[in-house]
Amino acid sequence: MKPRRRGPRFPPLDFSRVKTYSTQSRPSKVRVADIGRPHRKGQSVASFLNTLPDILAARTLRAVIADIVRAANTNRPVIVGMGAHPIKVGLNPILIDLMKRGVISCLAMNGAGIIHDLELALVGKTSEEVEAGIDDGSFGMARDTAELLNSAISHGATQGIGMGQAVGDFISRGKFPYKNMSLLATCSRLGLPATVHVAIGTDIIHMHPSADGAAIGATSLEDFKRLSAVVAHLEGGVYLNLGSAVLLPEVFLKAVTIARNLGYRVVNFTTVNMDFTQHYRPVTNVVRRPTQAGGRGYTLTGHHEIMFPLLAAGVIEALGPTKTARGEPGAGRGARR
């Protein structure tokens, strides 16, 4: 007998029974009205931004610009919490311009930020090659950088002020040829809160004999209290995390917590994480957790030296007529004071 032939275990499906619908009736994520338009030579920045697609990151960029402008025009805080990398890629003049326009109302940075900010003011250059000095132990051993900063911090501790104000006042009042490039000196001149949040052992100035742990701790704790005071009034404002992967996101989350613990309403505000990669802590502790009870959290991914000037240009184009930069003597590029 021939073996009995069995049918396939999984016979082909009958596609003739598929249920379909009209494309016209289906919800779609992309429409003709959303797509971009070519750039025309000679267009303004505002016109260029209007040509971007109203999709994904371009839509987010417009939303962030709108929230920053709304906060600035209604005198709500716009806080920039930043690592040192934005300084190293040349963003100081752009940040300073936004301070003078009354857009940025508070600046928070990590301990590396004061190093690069002071070196720019002192010698017009910063950022050493770590690989060139790590093998022989010379990395981070710039004597004048450490002695100047540690002296300013120790003096600030005796005055009972924060590290940001202590270093800002020191640069602003001292003989620094490029002080117009200093973020902290600008905050000092304009009376803006500038706070510095330090982890002991992370910064080169901690390796020097002039470092005073008690002074570093006291001035950094004072700055946490000062930042928390600004965060307590963040309702309707914006917190922008610019390139800090760990320290500032942790500090911001704790500042939000203490403000709410003390009875302040901190709910309806915007948070933004700007970095060239998205890390766990900024996404979790800046974008998601603080806004889970209300508000809006955004991410903008890209290189700081491109993305932040683009954001700043959009903000300036959309600002009200009263938000123009306040001039200062010697404020031109490379001017000496």
Side-chain angles (χ1 to χ4, degrees):
M1 282 181 66
K2 290 184 178 181
R4 190 174 176 181
R5 189 171 183 178
R6 300 174 63 183
R9 183 181 176 187
F10 300 106
L13 295 178
D14 181 6
F15 283 13
S16 67
R17 299 170 56 198
V18 167
K19 301 181 224 19
T20 62
Y21 56 82
S22 165
T23 306
Q24 185 68 30
S25 66
R26 184 201 67 197
S28 299
K29 294 186 289 185
V30 179
R31 304 168 302 165
V32 169
D34 300 329
I35 62 179
R37 301 187 304 276
H39 177 72
R40 291 190 176 87
K41 187 175 181 178
Q43 272 187 319
S44 68
V45 172
S47 297
F48 165 72
L49 289 171
N50 286 334
T51 67
L52 296 177
D54 191 24
I55 298 169
L56 297 177
R59 178 179 291 174
T60 297
L61 177 64
R62 287 197 185 94
V64 172
I65 289 170
D67 284 0
I68 292 174
V69 169
R70 186 181 306 112
N73 284 335
T74 56
N75 293 316
R76 306 311 303 158
V78 175
I79 307 170
V80 174
M82 56 183 281
H85 193 253
I87 299 175
K88 294 164 67 174
V89 297
L91 295 184
N92 277 28
I94 296 162
L95 288 159
I96 288 169
D97 181 67
L98 291 179
M99 292 179 200
K100 292 179 180 178
R101 292 177 184 274
V103 176
I104 295 175
S105 45
C106 177
L107 187 70
M109 64 174 65
N110 63 10
I114 64 173
I115 293 166
H116 298 296
D117 193 62
L118 177 132
E119 288 186 346
L120 277 181
L122 180 66
V123 293
K125 59 181 181 177
T126 189
S127 191
E128 64 185 300
E129 289 286 354
V130 178
E131 290 80 1
I134 194 69
D135 290 342
D136 64 4
S138 62
F139 160 64
M141 293 303 170
R143 182 181 60 258
D144 43 358
T145 298
E147 290 181 352
L148 290 171
L149 283 173
N150 285 327
S151 174
I153 292 166
S154 295
H155 182 64
T158 63
Q159 292 183 302
I161 62 176
M163 189 180 299
Q165 182 181 347
V167 176
D169 290 350
F170 179 69
I171 297 173
S172 180
R173 296 167 184 169
K175 294 181 179 180
F176 289 83
Y178 302 94
K179 66 174 68 178
N180 61 296
M181 288 289 109
S182 166
L183 298 174
L184 294 174
T186 301
C187 287
S188 174
R189 290 193 296 268
L190 298 178
L192 299 179
T195 63
V196 183
H197 308 273
V198 173
I200 299 291
T202 60
D203 305 320
I204 61 170
I205 63 174
H206 302 160
M207 301 188 292
H208 291 252
S210 57
D212 182 338
I216 293 169
T219 53
S220 192
L221 180 59
E222 185 66 25
D223 273 351
F224 174 63
K225 294 177 180 179
R226 194 173 193 196
L227 177 64
S228 298
V230 182
V231 170
H233 296 86
L234 191 57
E235 186 79 6
V238 177
Y239 181 83
L240 195 152
N241 185 69
L242 187 61
S244 179
V246 177
L247 196 60
L248 266 299
E250 291 291 350
V251 169
F252 176 65
L253 188 70
K254 277 67 173 185
V256 170
T257 300
I258 191 67
R260 289 172 174 169
N261 182 277
L262 292 173
Y264 291 91
R265 176 179 169 83
V266 188
V267 178
N268 181 31
F269 60 95
T270 298
T271 62
V272 189
N273 183 52
M274 295 187 72
D275 212 340
F276 43 84
T277 56
Q278 294 297 324
H279 299 280
Y280 168 80
R281 279 180 174 80
V283 171
T284 303
N285 290 353
V286 174
V287 177
R288 283 183 35 231
R289 284 175 175 164
T291 61
Q292 65 187 12
R296 297 158 299 281
Y298 298 104
T299 60
L300 283 171
T301 307
H303 290 280
H304 298 129
E305 61 271 28
I306 297 173
M307 291 300 297
F308 192 77
L310 181 61
L311 175 68
V315 168
I316 291 167
E317 291 288 334
L319 279 174
T322 60
K323 295 289 184 181
T324 55
R326 288 178 279 179
E328 293 185 291
R333 190 176 186 86
R336 294 174 177 254
R337 292 182 58 189

